[in-house]
Amino acid sequence: ARGDCDQQLIREDRLEDLLGELVQDVQIDCEVVEWVIEALKESHKEERAYHDDQIERLLSEIRRLQERLDRAYEDHVEGDISEEQWRRLTKKWRKERGVLLRSVEQHERANDFYLDAGVKLLSLAERAYGLWLKQSQEERRKLLDILLLNCTFDGESLRATYRKPFCWLAEGSLHTIWRG
């Protein structure tokens, strides 16, 4: 409708083969996946210890703030501090406590996310090409959406920009070791 197009045409089956090669480039051997998962578990122990230490530190700070709140209330009841000062301190310390509680929640989520995300990504990388071969067109498109940011075709070859961390799997220095 817009006139001649100088873009090269490519048959659908050839495009599927080229896309399959891109998917295959992120594939990791199952022995390597097991090795990396073990390394992740070891690293996760250190990560978990860090988050547990941070949680304990934050909970200690929360307890300290609660003690301040309790003392301020007692001082207010006994008339040692004014109503205005008690309200100001209470508002300030409750706000601080809210920030600390959100930080505790973030550290608790990070404890679980670190290992789970790594294992899921490695599992996908291990099975990516097998999934590609078995899936419908719609499922293949979803897989490509997960793996790739962009693709360009110059008439002969298909070039891809992978999403992180798949870019490291496809282009990383260990890629030749993984693929043999």
Side-chain angles (χ1 to χ4, degrees):
R2 296 189 183 124
D4 290 336
C5 175
D6 53 341
Q7 186 73 26
Q8 288 260 331
L9 297 177
I10 183 170
R11 291 180 45 92
E12 182 179 354
D13 58 342
R14 177 67 182 132
L15 181 60
E16 283 182 2
D17 291 343
L18 291 173
L19 289 169
E21 290 173 13
L22 295 177
V23 172
Q24 196 171 21
D25 283 345
V26 300
Q27 182 106 9
I28 303 175
D29 188 69
C30 64
E31 291 90 23
V32 173
V33 170
E34 290 173 14
W35 177 79
V36 174
I37 287 174
E38 284 304 313
L40 264 177
K41 287 179 181 177
E42 281 299 312
S43 174
H44 180 49
K45 288 178 187 175
E46 295 169 10
E47 184 81 8
R48 184 178 261 309
Y50 166 77
H51 288 293
D52 288 345
D53 288 346
Q54 293 301 310
I55 289 169
E56 186 56 41
R57 183 187 60 78
L58 291 165
L59 290 175
S60 175
E61 187 69 20
I62 290 169
R63 283 189 296 272
R64 188 181 62 76
L65 280 172
Q66 187 59 50
E67 289 170 3
R68 281 184 179 176
L69 282 164
D70 293 343
R71 278 194 313 270
Y73 178 73
E74 289 172 8
D75 289 345
H76 170 65
V77 168
E78 293 175 6
D80 293 339
I81 61 172
S82 68
E83 177 80 20
E84 180 186 327
Q85 187 178 13
W86 176 72
R87 287 187 190 277
R88 186 176 44 81
L89 290 173
T90 300
K91 181 179 178 181
K92 174 186 167 190
W93 291 333
R94 285 185 177 160
K95 185 177 178 181
E96 286 179 31
R97 186 176 62 185
V99 169
L100 292 171
L101 286 171
R102 284 190 292 282
S103 293
V104 167
E105 290 172 5
Q106 289 172 343
H107 281 286
E108 287 173 344
R109 280 194 307 269
N111 256 342
D112 297 330
F113 178 76
Y114 177 78
L115 183 62
D116 292 341
V119 170
K120 286 177 184 175
L121 286 170
L122 289 168
S123 176
L124 177 59
E126 178 184 14
R127 302 175 317 130
Y129 189 64
L131 291 172
W132 175 262
L133 294 174
K134 297 176 189 173
Q135 291 182 329
S136 67
Q137 293 291 344
E138 180 62 24
E139 293 300 316
R140 284 180 174 186
R141 187 191 60 75
K142 289 178 185 177
L143 180 60
L144 290 174
D145 283 345
I146 292 169
L147 299 178
L148 304 175
L149 283 172
N150 192 21
C151 280
T152 57
F153 181 67
D154 64 9
E156 294 178 23
S157 61
L158 190 62
R159 290 189 180 85
T161 304
Y162 290 89
R163 292 185 189 277
K164 290 181 182 176
F166 301 105
C167 60
W168 299 315
L169 297 176
E171 300 163 5
S173 59
L174 295 177
H175 183 69
T176 54
I177 297 170
W178 293 344
R179 298 290 304 270

